[in-house]
Amino acid sequence: NAYGISGWGNGEKECYQKENALVSGGRLKLVAKRETAMEAGARFDYTSARIRTKGKAFWTYGYFEAKMRLPTVTGLWPAFWMLPEAKFQGHGWPTNGEIDVMEAKGRLSQEIASTTHSANASLADVYHTKSTQVSSIGDEHVYAVLWQEGSLSFFVDGVSFFTVEESTYQNNYSSYTNGAPFNASFHLILNLAIGGQFDGGRLPSNDWEESAMSVDYVRVYQK
């Protein structure tokens, strides 16, 4: 559950707990809190929630979208993203890929980013990323990716702002053929992280207590 344990980690500070994920008023809320938690002998000063469909629901290609409101709080890192169900030829991340449909820095209330990760010939991370502006991440927006054979296109409120083509995500890694690594089954993840490398390790202010990532729906379309 906790970042920094069992291979998860980007220098984040939260401990994920199931009780921080709840449904109320027809919405899913992932709640980040300032509170002490212990896991595997480690102490955490914050708790939050992460949900993922690994082993339960996974897809190869499709249109994936989520309608949500995000917290505009420094130090919070909400994300809607995808990871593969399996390793690629025995290699894990980044060789088997990652699709970041939406990531936001809580302190930058009018910006989100979309990214793909894959590997080069040395199995090091190669990423393609682009940011775009929104009215406010605290407003309701629909974030989406159209994942097709040969490309991934990212959308905000139905408007595409970024496309990654197969010729760029192959990155001269000879084991990538037929659209690998983005030709396999991926599952969905929603989470609200605290701290971490995405925004330089920034943390919420000392008077911050609680915020939520509020999700209206997540939808998947396939032909």
Side-chain angles (χ1 to χ4, degrees):
N1 288 333
Y3 266 85
I5 296 175
S6 300
W8 289 89
N10 292 291
E12 300 167 28
K13 302 301 181 183
E14 77 284 341
C15 178
Y16 286 130
Q17 301 183 146
K18 63 181 181 180
E19 51 265 44
N20 291 56
L22 55 101
V23 175
S24 64
R27 302 181 70 92
L28 168 68
K29 296 180 181 179
L30 305 184
V31 184
K33 299 180 181 181
R34 180 190 299 277
E35 63 179 353
T36 301
M38 299 291 297
E39 181 168 304
R43 174 194 164 105
F44 296 83
D45 295 323
Y46 306 94
T47 65
S48 191
R50 175 186 71 203
I51 63 172
R52 54 179 178 157
T53 66
K54 182 176 175 61
K56 298 177 181 178
F58 41 86
W59 306 265
T60 306
Y61 309 130
Y63 185 78
F64 304 80
E65 67 175 12
K67 185 177 182 181
M68 63 184 80
R69 297 194 299 260
L70 310 175
T72 57
V73 175
T74 295
L76 298 190
W77 174 7
F80 168 41
W81 52 304
M82 304 177 71
L83 282 176
E85 284 287 290
K87 290 185 176 182
F88 178 79
Q89 297 183 356
H91 298 295
W93 191 92
T95 313
N96 55 352
E98 176 179 324
I99 304 168
D100 298 321
V101 185
M102 182 285 303
E103 295 180 283
K105 300 171 182 176
R107 70 182 177 90
L108 301 180
S109 64
Q110 295 182 306
E111 180 178 297
I112 65 97
S114 299
T115 307
T116 64
H117 293 269
S118 53
N120 62 18
S122 300
L123 305 185
D125 180 28
V126 175
Y127 61 92
H128 302 283
T129 187
K130 186 174 182 179
S131 298
T132 191
Q133 299 295 300
V134 297
S135 59
S136 170
I137 61 173
D139 296 337
E140 200 94 87
H141 293 288
V142 179
Y143 304 103
V145 63
L146 175 60
W147 172 23
Q148 303 179 90
E149 185 175 349
S151 68
L152 298 102
S153 296
F154 297 89
F155 295 75
V156 176
D157 296 328
V159 178
S160 175
F161 72 95
F162 179 42
T163 296
V164 181
E165 302 286 351
E166 178 180 341
S167 60
T168 63
Y169 56 69
Q170 283 192 354
N171 293 303
N172 299 316
Y173 179 33
S174 61
S175 292
Y176 283 161
T177 58
N178 300 318
F182 302 114
N183 63 351
S185 294
F186 277 62
H187 59 267
L188 290 170
I189 305 170
L190 290 165
N191 71 285
L192 179 54
I194 303 171
Q197 298 168 359
F198 188 56
D199 198 19
R202 290 177 174 84
L203 293 172
S205 63
N206 291 334
D207 60 354
W208 173 81
E209 294 293 334
E210 180 178 313
S211 298
M213 175 179 178
S214 178
V215 182
D216 185 14
Y217 63 75
V218 179
R219 295 173 179 166
V220 178
Y221 300 88
Q222 285 188 310
K223 293 181 179 178

